[in-house]
Amino acid sequence: MKRAFVTGITGQDGSYLTELLLAKGYEVHGLVRRSSTFNRGRIEPLYLNAKGEKVPLYLHYGDLSDSGNLFALLRKIDPQEVYNLGAQSHVKVSFETPEYTSDVNAIGTVRLLEAIRQLDLDARFYQASSSELYGKTSALKQDESTPFHPRSPYGFAKLMAYWATVNYRESYGMFASNGILFNHESPRRGEGFVTRKITISLARILAGLDKELRLGNLDAKRDWGFAGDFTELIWRILQHKEADDFVIATGETHSVREFLQEAFSYKGLDWQKYVKIDPAYMRPAEVDYLCGDSAKAQRLLGWTPKVKFKELVRMMVDADIKELQSKPMARQISPNP
Ligand code: NAP
Ligand code: G4F
């Protein structure tokens, strides 16, 4: 049985990847942070299989800022595959926490790579790189050779992690690969990201709980895919015959305004009656436009994105309406960055 170590297992991608790895017969070990509030909601449904039996899923306390902890865990688990999905993943928050974001997202990656190297583990390493690396780009489509120009502490920390991964591959012959993933969303998306903020708010407006939705820049364009599709690729990147870097994207781009239009019109509402622009949600520097070219991944990894924009929006709207109906008292909306 193959053993995988997953950082960020409690996040959106961690939960989809864990589901996939368990279905493929892996023993999965996940890094979890101690928290005063419950942070395992996304993976809790995975603890038992369809027959009600316990699955080989093991959680270990730790943190990407703690080298000793990462060394001890990697020595004990001795995984064949390491997926580094853990990160302070919110771009706007990174402007307020640049040092912490750099420590976790950049140095955290070096800590893992260095632990694998020093322990001489025979482990393949996946780094969750991001289309935020392209930042202020003028390329109409961004691929593996497009120059990087990050626009936030999140972006520059992920840039260092990207190059650390390439360097450990080139310097030490490690199997270390980057997936440069464009935005991917799902009903499990964190509530502070714009797509989920919109679909939660729409559900609340429909239920009569809210009257308005406060947002920042509606002109930004993103290449939004489905997280369930993209995590399949994360796994395939580590099964490829050699370590390499791959763009994962749908190749379609839409503005935040178009997302609003699609979501609200699906439920027969005019978004313009509800949305207020609030400078609190603007960023010191913005990434205006992203649209990925994943031809290399499609060619070498045999993949095409399945879920399209409209289907994704509707899936998220329907899921949030259903969740609100099933737990009407549970949803106290939190301040959204
Ligand atoms: P997410 O839902 O925000 O999950 C982030 C995960 O990282 C959570 O499990 C979180 O734990 C964990 N984490 C945060 N700080 C940590 C620390 N100091 N030590 C250990 N773990 C820590 O993010 P996601 O959307 O699943 O994204 C997964 C990865 O892909 C991230 O690295 C992200 O930057 C990158 N990425 C995401 C996208 C996207 O569109 N989703 C696109 C490109 C790249 P808690 O649950 O305890 O907070
Ligand atoms: O949903 P967002 O916060 O995602 P962003 O900044 O694109 O970052 C996400 O995708 C990256 C991949 O490109 C990941 F690496 C990263 O970890 C994260 O998952 O914002 C999308 C756009 C931005 O232009 C933002 O300015 O929506 C705009 N926006 C407008 N109003 C807002 C809001 N974003 C948020 N979060 N909240 C708003 O109220």
Side-chain angles (χ1 to χ4, degrees):
M1 187 184 271
K2 262 192 182 174
R3 282 179 308 283
F5 179 58
V6 182
T7 74
I9 194 167
T10 54
Q12 170 188 255
D13 293 5
S15 69
Y16 280 107
L17 181 68
T18 300
E19 215 170 334
L20 182 94
L21 293 173
L22 289 170
K24 290 188 181 296
Y26 279 70
E27 180 177 300
V28 181
H29 293 260
L31 186 73
V32 291
R33 298 197 290 176
R34 192 270 155 182
S35 163
S36 69
T37 51
F38 184 64
N39 63 355
R40 300 175 193 186
R42 294 184 179 104
I43 50 170
E44 204 183 31
L46 308 179
Y47 292 170
L48 301 177
N49 66 18
K51 293 183 198 150
E53 299 154 345
K54 187 161 171 1
V55 297
L57 169 60
Y58 304 95
L59 302 178
H60 307 267
Y61 281 113
D63 200 291
L64 283 162
S65 62
D66 188 337
S67 311
N69 161 262
L70 297 174
F71 263 77
L73 287 177
L74 284 168
R75 185 186 288 114
K76 188 169 79 179
I77 298 162
D78 189 15
Q80 284 89 27
E81 293 174 14
V82 175
Y83 296 89
N84 185 28
L85 310 182
Q88 190 303 88
S89 71
H90 202 285
V91 174
K92 168 97 178 5
V93 172
S94 79
F95 285 100
E96 282 134 57
T97 59
E99 186 179 331
Y100 172 75
T101 302
S102 301
D103 187 24
V104 172
N105 297 9
I107 308 296
T109 306
V110 177
R111 289 184 183 105
L112 278 176
L113 287 163
E114 196 51 19
I116 295 168
R117 185 182 79 83
Q118 288 195 31
L119 292 167
D120 200 18
L121 301 183
D122 188 12
R124 294 183 168 203
F125 179 82
Y126 172 86
Q127 171 57 22
S129 286
S130 163
S131 50
E132 281 291 304
L133 300 180
Y134 299 116
K136 194 175 166 61
T137 184
S138 55
L140 273 184
K141 287 260 176 127
Q142 299 89 42
D143 66 14
E144 292 79 3
S145 59
T146 304
F148 297 137
H149 185 151
R151 295 273 279 171
S152 63
Y154 172 85
F156 63 64
K158 283 283 183 179
L159 184 70
M160 176 170 166
Y162 170 91
W163 282 116
T165 303
V166 172
N167 271 263
Y168 274 68
R169 179 168 81 221
E170 292 176 353
S171 307
Y172 307 115
M174 282 171 56
F175 194 112
S177 298
N178 283 290
I180 308 172
L181 270 59
F182 283 61
N183 297 52
H184 46 283
E185 320 292 312
S186 74
R188 300 183 202 171
R189 182 57 146 152
E191 300 182 2
F193 298 96
V194 76
T195 55
R196 189 79 200 287
K197 183 173 169 181
I198 292 170
T199 59
I200 289 174
S201 182
L202 173 56
R204 291 178 59 84
I205 288 167
L206 288 165
L209 295 170
D210 277 348
K211 288 191 168 44
E212 66 173 32
L213 163 59
R214 304 186 83 84
L215 292 172
N217 177 17
L218 305 187
D219 294 323
K221 291 188 134 186
R222 291 291 182 273
D223 178 332
W224 278 299
F226 172 51
D229 278 355
F230 282 27
T231 40
E232 161 85 24
L233 257 290
I234 291 176
W235 175 77
R236 285 197 195 187
I237 287 173
L238 284 202
Q239 312 314 308
H240 191 52
K241 61 180 185 321
E242 58 197 10
D244 204 344
D245 307 315
F246 295 94
V247 161
I248 309 297
T250 70
E252 248 186 60
T253 190
H254 295 275
S255 64
V256 175
R257 187 177 280 101
E258 285 166 344
F259 194 102
L260 279 166
Q261 169 65 27
E262 192 62 52
F264 277 68
S265 65
Y266 174 43
K267 291 294 153 189
L269 297 184
D270 176 1
W271 65 269
Q272 296 181 81
K273 293 191 177 143
Y274 303 93
V275 173
K276 301 267 178 308
I277 301 302
D278 186 338
Y281 299 114
M282 300 288 185
R283 297 165 184 195
E286 179 61 286
V287 172
D288 296 317
Y289 172 87
L290 291 172
C291 186
D293 175 354
S294 59
K296 178 179 171 184
Q298 298 194 27
R299 195 175 68 251
L300 296 180
L301 304 175
W303 171 81
T304 42
K306 296 185 198 88
V307 177
K308 296 287 208 191
F309 178 69
K310 190 176 189 166
E311 194 186 337
L312 175 67
V313 176
R314 292 180 174 204
M315 177 204 299
M316 292 178 70
V317 170
D318 288 339
D320 274 318
I321 291 172
K322 200 167 156 206
E323 190 175 332
L324 191 63
Q325 282 166 351
S326 65
K327 299 183 216 152
M329 299 308 290
R331 186 157 314 283
Q332 300 284 340
I333 203 152
S334 51
N336 280 303

